[in-house]
Amino acid sequence: MKELLKNTHEAWLATLMAAFMAKNGETKHILYEFSDILFRHFTWIENDLIKRGVEYDYDRDNIPIKVTHLKIILENISSRMNDIELLSINCDDDALRHRLESDLKYMKERVLRLDDEDVSSAFSVNRKYKDIELGKEATDSLTLFLFEESYKEYELIMIYNYLKAHSSDAFLNRIFQIMIDESFFHLRSFGQMMSDMGILGVPRVLHKSLYKVESVTEFLVNGIEEEESAKEQCKELSDAVAKESPELAEFFDFINYQESYHIELMKEALQHYKMKGTNE
């Protein structure tokens, strides 16, 4: 089951990366939908491990995605799904096993029928976003921001998912789910920008100390500070690109304002912990 979790984690990320690469609208939509399904599979398998009392982590192998044509990574994803389907025999939960098998049987064949296309531009390192002309300083700032923030959003998805999986507190789980959903939106936004700029990459593997949080209150306090820092980075980037691209400046202001609400949610969660009198 732990191998099943790991393989599903890798298939989810590979499918998400393929969605970033795809230019065809229907193909992109299908790959996004399939990546969402695989992430749900991941959480269900994780829940099964928790119910069994099995210790697990989020370790995974590196995921090679630098390809010239979409067909190459789609074949890889289909192969990964086939491996997951074979591993699912180890799942004792009949309902979960049947759901995994039926989803995978359909998805692994469907991705092979998607139209092929040249996706080499996702790795061209042209560092140009759409038809927007940015100076070197603004381009460098945007590049650094996207690499740092795409990793941070992946990190937050995994951390909040782990916290939610190990919590029975409905109030906190509502906040954790909001933060997961918001981080998914940011990751998709930044990942698509990275693909458009030819700098697409898979977020690095998380160290288990990041999500196996010893003190949730300490994590929330530090998280509020990190969100404040992220707001500053968004503001600085907005200022850096404002003269050359009001469109990009507006987007990063939009992200900045979302971070403000994240801070308020984290403050709510922190206050909730204090009211419970928990020592966590």
Side-chain angles (χ1 to χ4, degrees):
M1 285 296 287
K2 288 194 288 186
E3 192 67 17
L4 180 61
L5 185 77
K6 173 178 170 290
N7 285 24
T8 303
H9 188 172
E10 293 168 0
W12 158 54
L13 276 178
T15 307
L16 183 61
M17 294 297 120
F20 294 149
M21 297 177 207
K23 298 179 181 64
N24 179 281
E26 182 181 2
T27 297
K28 185 181 291 291
H29 173 73
I30 290 171
L31 290 172
Y32 271 142
E33 292 296 319
F34 285 0
S35 71
D36 285 346
I37 290 171
L38 286 167
F39 184 76
R40 290 200 293 275
H41 286 186
F42 176 81
T43 64
W44 298 338
I45 297 165
E46 179 179 30
N47 184 62
D48 188 71
L49 287 168
I50 292 170
K51 286 192 296 185
R52 295 187 192 197
V54 178
E55 186 70 18
Y56 68 95
D57 56 46
Y58 287 162
D59 286 351
R60 58 172 172 81
D61 293 335
N62 290 324
I63 303 169
I65 62 167
K66 192 173 181 179
V67 297
T68 56
H69 286 78
L70 189 65
K71 180 180 180 181
I72 300 171
I73 194 168
L74 294 181
E75 289 175 345
N76 177 266
I77 289 168
S78 181
S79 177
R80 288 177 183 275
M81 289 180 179
N82 188 62
D83 291 342
I84 294 169
E85 189 177 4
L86 293 173
L87 282 169
S88 67
I89 195 172
N90 297 307
C91 182
D92 291 334
D93 184 327
D94 289 341
L96 175 57
R97 186 178 68 255
H98 291 153
R99 171 61 190 265
L100 296 178
E101 289 173 349
S102 62
D103 281 356
L104 291 163
K105 182 179 180 180
Y106 173 76
M107 293 191 297
K108 72 180 183 181
E109 299 297 333
R110 183 67 182 89
V111 295
L112 294 178
R113 297 199 302 273
L114 294 172
D115 292 338
D116 191 21
E117 55 182 287
D118 187 328
V119 294
S120 57
S121 62
F123 311 101
S124 66
V125 200
N126 65 64
R127 299 205 304 155
K128 184 174 180 179
Y129 182 62
K130 297 183 178 179
D131 59 350
I132 297 172
E133 296 291 339
L134 295 177
K136 185 178 184 305
E137 183 178 349
T139 298
D140 289 345
S141 296
L142 178 57
T143 301
L144 180 61
F145 176 89
L146 290 174
F147 273 110
E148 290 181 345
E149 291 302 301
S150 62
Y151 170 72
K152 189 201 84 169
E153 298 301 343
Y154 167 69
E155 176 186 300
L156 290 176
I157 288 168
M158 303 312 292
I159 292 172
Y160 283 114
N161 182 72
Y162 192 88
L163 292 176
K164 182 172 180 281
H166 291 82
S167 170
S168 58
D169 188 315
F171 182 89
L172 290 173
N173 284 348
R174 178 186 66 86
I175 291 176
F176 293 157
Q177 187 60 55
I178 292 172
M179 298 298 282
I180 292 168
D181 293 341
E182 293 283 277
S183 289
F184 260 116
F185 170 70
H186 289 184
L187 177 59
R188 285 189 174 187
S189 298
F190 300 151
Q192 189 59 58
M193 292 181 75
M194 292 175 77
S195 180
D196 293 344
M197 293 176 67
I199 55 173
L200 183 62
V202 182
R204 61 186 180 272
V205 178
L206 297 180
H207 191 277
K208 56 178 62 72
S209 62
L210 289 172
Y211 53 87
K212 294 193 174 185
V213 178
E214 292 185 4
S215 169
V216 177
T217 51
E218 183 179 347
F219 163 74
L220 290 169
V221 169
N222 293 337
I224 290 168
E225 292 178 0
E226 289 177 5
E227 292 290 345
E228 292 283 7
S229 177
K231 279 176 56 63
E232 286 300 317
Q233 287 180 301
C234 280
K235 184 65 171 64
E236 289 173 7
L237 190 54
S238 175
D239 291 343
V241 302
K243 289 183 180 179
E244 294 144 307
S245 175
E247 175 190 345
L248 270 179
E250 288 173 358
F251 172 73
F252 288 112
D253 284 340
F254 167 64
I255 297 295
N256 180 20
Y257 299 143
Q258 291 187 343
E259 301 287 5
S260 296
Y261 187 58
H262 297 169
I263 291 170
E264 294 307 311
L265 288 171
M266 295 170 80
K267 287 179 178 178
E268 279 189 43
L270 184 59
Q271 183 62 28
H272 183 73
Y273 263 99
K274 290 178 178 178
M275 289 178 64
K276 285 174 62 177
T278 179
N279 292 321
E280 291 182 339

